[in-house]
Amino acid sequence: MYEGNYLAQRLRASSSDGAERVFAKKLDGSVISYQAFFDGAEAYAKALILKGLKPNDRVAVQADKSVEALQLYIGTILAGGVFLPLNTAYTTSEVSYFIEDASPSIFVCDSVNHAELKTIAENLGVLAVETLDANGSGSLSDLAKGMKSEPFEVVPRTADDLASFLYTSGTTGRSKGAMLTHENLWINADTLKDYWHFSQSDVLIHALPIFHIHGLFVAINTTLAAGSSIIFMPSYDAEKILELMPEATVLMGVPTFYVRLLAQAGLTKASVSNMRLFVSGSAPLLAETHVKWQEQTGTAILERYGMTETNMNTSNPYDGDRRPGTVGLPLPSVEVIITDPSTGEKLPTGEVGSIEVRGPNVFKGYWNMPEKTKEELRDNGFFITGDLGMIDDRGYVSIIGRSKDLIITGGYNVYPKEIELLIDDLDGVVESAVIGIPHADFGEAVTAVIVAESDATLSEADIKQALSTDIAKFKQPKQVFFVDELPRNTMGKVQKNVLRDTYSS
Ligand code: AMP
């Protein structure tokens, strides 16, 4: 089925044997079969083509999570287009930047923002501005429904053609559009399906947003590649997830999912007895969360590491040792090396440096940014991830932080993670973020921002005192601030740029 379209053909293969298989179950109990899902995706493909989509054109989408939005993703692929999902939290001015930068031929948004965005998008040359709402209604879905019975022929695409184009989350600097090919997406889905033992009998609780690689490619492409099912949740709800676990087998989440689940009284060994896999990624999972989860449920969370530009790079093993605080081993066909950030030379086992990756999962470059692409994607195929880390003697990769978060104080390098781990271990501390802020003498001053437990009576002096014997003086925070919570983006990442802006002034 869908022969000639590299990705679509492969994503359909495990569910095209004619059997009546369930793709998605919604919380109201309604069920969408694979046949109905792909019929709907084809209808979206026809609607997009009718609206003027040509092969390789971008379809930019800022829509709430719905099964229809997933059909629009697959519909774009079937129509030979390039899917460009946008974070629903983006403001009008951010969306304008993305439209101007990506020049999509079609833009889809919800009906509330339609009037305002239509004018902006049309002025920027977009051919059609359509709507799709959380309940699956809208001008594009109406058009698609009306075209269900029309004949459809899949648009051919090769392994090297673009399938998606995703803006990086931009926690450091301006968002860049990462260009991902049909092969990039397929290889990763196929690898994860095998590595994490996905089969047709799996049921994944899908509670992640779908504008990001995690919820879209890791969760949906892997599900499609295996012919598994999802339980479709419009958003995260810990209590509901607990209720759904007896009919599910896998959960994929960001670390906050697990922290909040741990706060549920009903989370016990019995409550997870039907679940075979809990995956965490997109932000660091505290070793403490890993340990608590294991104690409370008897299962070990599997932590993996990836990014917009590369999909997944490493994963803790399915059968072997899932080691807290590490992101596991390089996935099959992915090479991971650690290099000296200043010289690019490969570093020996155990040394901290720049994490670089190479493999069929690595993107084609940044849209409209040849210079940036050249800086980060080496001629030999290695991508400089911007993460700092190390590989131990068993081959496990640990992430120490982002290179842009590295603090240079008085000429010395300070890895914030080292200090954060020490602070997090102190009694009364929930979590911390360590940043560098401009300092007249030192260049940057190590600064700690701490969330304390509500009944803790910690002061700046207590923190400084507690760290005074553990680490060299240049690593010790010069200032300590207490906050109620750390600023995070929707994928659970601490926004250190926001903290730096706040405390620099
Ligand atoms: P994004 O492109 O939004 O997926 O962000 C990718 C970045 O998230 C990576 O470069 C890492 O800095 C971070 N990240 C992803 N997974 C993990 C993980 N398991 N542990 C720590 N950081 C992670």
Side-chain angles (χ1 to χ4, degrees):
M1 213 175 261
Y2 303 142
E3 211 151 311
N5 184 304
Y6 187 91
L7 180 62
Q9 182 183 0
R10 286 164 176 75
L11 289 180
R12 184 66 167 121
S14 289
S15 59
S16 62
D17 56 2
E20 187 56 8
R21 232 177 274 295
V22 172
F23 167 64
K25 189 172 164 194
K26 291 195 192 174
L27 296 184
D28 64 7
S30 60
V31 159
I32 298 109
S33 68
Y34 264 91
Q35 188 61 49
F37 179 74
F38 277 95
D39 285 349
E42 287 182 19
Y44 275 104
K46 290 179 247 181
L48 293 172
I49 292 169
L50 186 80
K51 284 286 166 189
L53 186 85
K54 299 274 180 302
N56 214 32
D57 279 358
R58 273 79 53 213
V59 177
V61 180
Q62 190 189 33
D64 278 325
K65 186 176 174 181
S66 66
V67 172
E68 287 75 10
L70 292 174
Q71 288 174 318
L72 176 56
Y73 155 52
I74 297 296
T76 303
I77 302 297
L78 292 171
V82 179
F83 191 66
L84 197 176
L86 292 169
N87 192 324
T88 44
Y90 285 144
T91 61
T92 308
S93 80
E94 286 168 310
V95 172
S96 308
Y97 161 72
F98 293 122
I99 294 179
E100 189 168 3
D101 189 57
S103 56
S105 61
I106 298 185
F107 175 59
V108 184
C109 62
D110 64 27
S111 48
V112 176
N113 296 321
H114 183 243
E116 191 183 3
L117 288 172
K118 184 175 165 67
T119 314
I120 295 172
E122 285 179 351
N123 285 338
L124 291 168
V126 176
L127 296 179
V129 181
E130 302 296 325
T131 61
L132 180 61
D133 287 327
N135 63 5
S137 66
S139 63
L140 193 65
S141 56
D142 286 348
L143 187 64
K145 275 186 204 118
M147 297 188 75
K148 269 213 162 126
S149 51
E150 310 253 326
F152 175 69
E153 236 176 87
V154 72
V155 176
R157 297 273 81 190
T158 67
D160 224 27
D161 284 321
L162 292 189
S164 179
F165 177 158
L166 254 105
Y167 281 93
T168 55
S169 54
T171 46
T172 49
R174 215 179 84 176
S175 272
K176 297 164 277 183
M179 299 186 287
L180 294 155
T181 64
H182 279 236
E183 187 188 29
N184 291 151
L185 298 189
W186 170 250
I187 294 268
N188 220 239
D190 195 37
T191 300
L192 296 178
K193 174 196 76 166
D194 292 341
Y195 206 77
W196 293 342
H197 296 206
F198 265 72
S199 74
Q200 289 176 335
S201 45
D202 272 310
V203 179
L204 167 83
I205 300 177
H206 195 299
L208 287 160
I210 55 169
F211 50 72
H212 186 268
I213 47 158
H214 197 166
L216 189 62
F217 301 146
V218 183
I220 296 299
N221 287 354
T222 306
T223 298
L224 293 174
S228 321
S229 308
I230 59 169
I231 299 180
F232 183 90
M233 296 184 72
S235 58
Y236 178 78
D237 175 342
E239 217 180 313
K240 189 78 203 165
I241 288 182
L242 210 57
E243 224 179 284
L244 293 169
M245 281 186 190
E247 41 176 316
T249 59
V250 183
L251 174 68
M252 287 185 190
V254 293
T256 11
F257 278 26
Y258 295 102
V259 172
R260 292 195 198 155
L261 275 165
L262 276 167
Q264 295 285 317
L267 186 79
T268 58
K269 290 192 170 106
S271 70
V272 305
S273 62
N274 203 50
M275 298 287 291
R276 68 168 185 87
L277 182 62
F278 293 96
V279 179
S280 176
S282 292
L285 179 78
L286 292 178
E288 183 196 329
T289 311
H290 190 288
V291 171
K292 267 195 192 159
W293 186 271
Q294 184 136 29
E295 282 167 6
Q296 211 161 314
T297 69
T299 64
I301 298 172
L302 180 152
E303 186 171 9
R304 94 299 180 276
Y305 158 56
M307 59 199 309
T308 305
E309 292 91 334
T310 62
N311 288 297
M312 297 303 104
N313 296 314
T314 70
S315 168
N316 270 280
Y318 188 81
D319 289 319
D321 197 6
R322 298 180 193 166
R323 298 175 63 192
T326 82
V327 292
L329 307 157
L331 286 165
S333 80
V334 180
E335 290 170 81
V336 180
I337 56 169
I338 306 295
T339 60
D340 183 323
S342 44
T343 63
E345 294 294 313
K346 193 171 166 194
L347 291 173
T349 304
E351 284 197 26
V352 173
S354 235
I355 303 181
E356 297 193 21
V357 296
R358 178 165 70 180
N361 55 317
V362 173
F363 75 140
K364 280 286 159 288
Y366 295 115
W367 174 260
N368 271 347
M369 289 187 176
E371 292 302 316
K372 263 268 160 251
T373 305
K374 236 184 148 96
E375 273 169 36
E376 295 180 20
L377 198 52
R378 294 186 191 280
D379 290 343
N380 64 7
F382 273 101
F383 172 60
I384 306 164
T385 60
D387 289 314
L388 296 167
M390 57 165 275
I391 305 178
D392 69 15
D393 50 10
R394 290 173 61 191
Y396 283 71
V397 177
S398 300
I399 299 175
I400 312 293
R402 296 285 299 164
S403 59
K404 284 180 181 129
D405 293 335
L406 179 74
I407 303 168
I408 304 179
T409 180
Y412 292 109
N413 288 358
V414 177
Y415 296 106
K417 182 89 174 259
E418 185 189 357
I419 326 292
E420 288 161 6
L421 289 174
L422 290 171
I423 298 177
D424 292 350
D425 260 357
L426 300 176
D427 278 346
V429 171
V430 178
E431 61 174 349
S432 62
V434 169
I435 51 170
I437 60 172
H439 187 282
D441 286 341
F442 298 105
E444 284 185 298
V446 178
T447 303
V449 186
I450 297 176
V451 180
E453 280 164 13
S454 54
D455 55 353
T457 50
L458 285 170
S459 68
E460 175 163 9
D462 295 335
I463 302 292
K464 287 183 170 170
Q465 171 62 28
L467 296 177
S468 62
T469 52
D470 287 339
I471 40 172
K473 191 132 179 56
F474 71 90
K475 296 183 188 174
Q476 292 171 19
K478 299 215 165 19
Q479 287 188 87
V480 177
F481 297 97
F482 291 92
V483 292
D484 292 339
E485 59 181 334
L486 296 174
R488 287 196 145 81
N489 71 10
T490 28
M491 298 309 294
K493 293 182 213 296
V494 174
Q495 293 167 303
K496 290 199 168 174
N497 52 337
V498 172
L499 291 175
R500 278 191 288 263
D501 287 349
T502 308
Y503 294 103
S504 293
S505 46

